[in-house]
Amino acid sequence: ELRVAGQTGVAEAVGWQHSGFTWTVRVVSEWGHQFACTGHHPVLVLQNNEHVWVQAEDLQPGDLLCIPARGLTRETPLHLHLSEPEKQVRGRLKEVRKPERMTPDLAFLIGCIVAEGSNTHKRVSFSNGDPAFLSRYAETFESIFGFKPSRNQVAKAGDERVFRGVPYTVSRDCFDLYADSKTVVMWLEELGLYMGGRQGRKSASHFKVVPWSILQADRESQAAFLAAYLEGDGSIDPKSGRITYISASASIRRQLQAL
């Protein structure tokens, strides 16, 4: 009458097998969770929207593991251990405050950048046309790093533009909030944000990911990240509660589904 965890909940075991002593494999997820088992141990994964049992030794990077979510989300803030900033050179470098742990505010900022921004070798930027969203980003950025991002208007309402061969009219003024800080760029890269521009014919959007620091964050910080991302690249239907998000990155589409 041995009871074990089954595919849909607790189930009664129908048999057992003694395999003696053998090598084991350690499975580590991008969320930071890990477990060890024998190579032939079955692991439930999601493939093409169907549940499939795969032996642990046959798992591949990118497989979606179906594991219990209860108790796996961090309950305490994630400590970040970021590198020390460059020494201040008078008149050259901004004095930057280093975040010590993941917080909902930092997660919100990261969500803004992943959805509507970029992180290049010397500049982090965020572009949007919603005054309230822009103000929230600017205030959060200053509260975390200790200085205000610069502001530049990138489009005016009524401007005629072309996107991927399709002409359109800009509906409202749009602004770019940016900070030229190698230190902030370095920290964001350490936190798991994609750093760089387009590669070949693909824009930077194709290479973005949900940063490891969000996947391993506490539930409140993960919710703040999702709120910012959906505000920038998604929507929530107030009647049905249906959540929709958009991304050119296959990694983000998969990671948000799991998150």
Side-chain angles (χ1 to χ4, degrees):
E1 296 182 359
L2 180 64
R3 300 178 68 81
V4 297
Q7 181 172 338
T8 58
V10 178
E12 185 173 328
V14 296
W16 62 276
Q17 177 181 344
H18 178 61
S19 301
F21 294 96
T22 186
W23 293 101
T24 60
V25 296
R26 182 171 298 278
V27 180
V28 182
S29 77
E30 60 185 350
W31 295 55
H33 308 130
Q34 56 182 291
F35 61 89
C37 60
T38 57
H40 63 267
H41 186 85
V43 179
L44 190 64
V45 301
L46 186 65
Q47 293 181 352
N48 299 321
N49 294 322
E50 293 186 359
H51 291 99
V52 180
W53 290 101
V54 176
Q55 291 190 343
E57 61 188 6
D58 294 327
L59 289 172
Q60 299 295 320
D63 283 344
L64 285 175
L65 302 179
C66 300
I67 54 180
R70 181 177 299 176
L72 291 181
T73 305
R74 182 184 299 274
E75 296 183 356
T76 57
L78 173 69
H79 287 267
L80 302 178
H81 307 293
L82 299 173
S83 300
E84 290 300 320
E86 296 182 41
K87 291 185 178 180
Q88 180 76 13
V89 179
R90 188 174 183 180
R92 291 185 58 196
L93 297 177
K94 297 182 178 71
E95 185 174 347
V96 185
R97 183 187 304 133
K98 182 174 75 170
E100 299 294 337
R101 58 181 59 84
M102 178 59 66
T103 64
D105 278 349
L106 179 55
F108 175 86
L109 192 77
I110 291 173
C112 291
I113 298 169
V114 172
E116 297 277 68
S118 63
N119 192 45
T120 60
H121 295 286
K122 64 176 182 178
R123 171 177 289 188
V124 54
S125 63
F126 167 71
S127 301
N128 201 265
D130 184 337
F133 200 16
L134 289 164
S135 178
R136 171 79 184 277
Y137 175 89
E139 292 172 359
T140 304
F141 189 98
E142 184 178 10
S143 71
I144 292 172
F145 297 116
F147 69 96
K148 295 181 179 180
S150 300
R151 181 185 179 101
N152 179 46
Q153 186 168 6
V154 294
K156 294 182 179 180
D159 284 354
E160 299 294 332
R161 298 291 179 92
V162 177
F163 180 71
R164 294 180 179 175
V166 180
Y168 70 97
T169 302
V170 178
S171 60
R172 58 184 175 181
D173 294 343
C174 295
F175 296 86
D176 185 32
L177 300 182
Y178 64 93
D180 291 333
S181 170
K182 291 183 178 181
T183 299
V184 173
V185 167
M186 174 184 68
W187 286 339
L188 292 175
E189 184 182 20
E190 291 178 3
L191 290 174
L193 277 78
Y194 172 73
M195 185 185 73
R198 66 184 306 113
Q199 296 184 26
R201 299 179 63 182
K202 290 187 176 182
S203 66
S205 299
H206 290 80
F207 306 100
K208 290 184 176 182
V209 297
V210 177
W212 70 266
S213 57
I214 296 299
L215 297 176
Q216 298 186 30
D218 59 279
R219 188 177 301 277
E220 188 177 359
S221 295
Q222 289 180 345
F225 170 86
L226 285 172
Y229 188 90
L230 293 175
E231 183 67 27
D233 268 349
S235 63
I236 301 178
D237 189 312
K239 294 183 178 180
S240 66
R242 181 177 181 177
I243 297 175
T244 303
Y245 53 86
I246 302 170
S247 179
S249 166
S251 294
I252 282 186
R253 296 195 300 268
R254 174 175 55 82
Q255 292 169 317
L256 289 180
Q257 183 181 23
L259 192 62

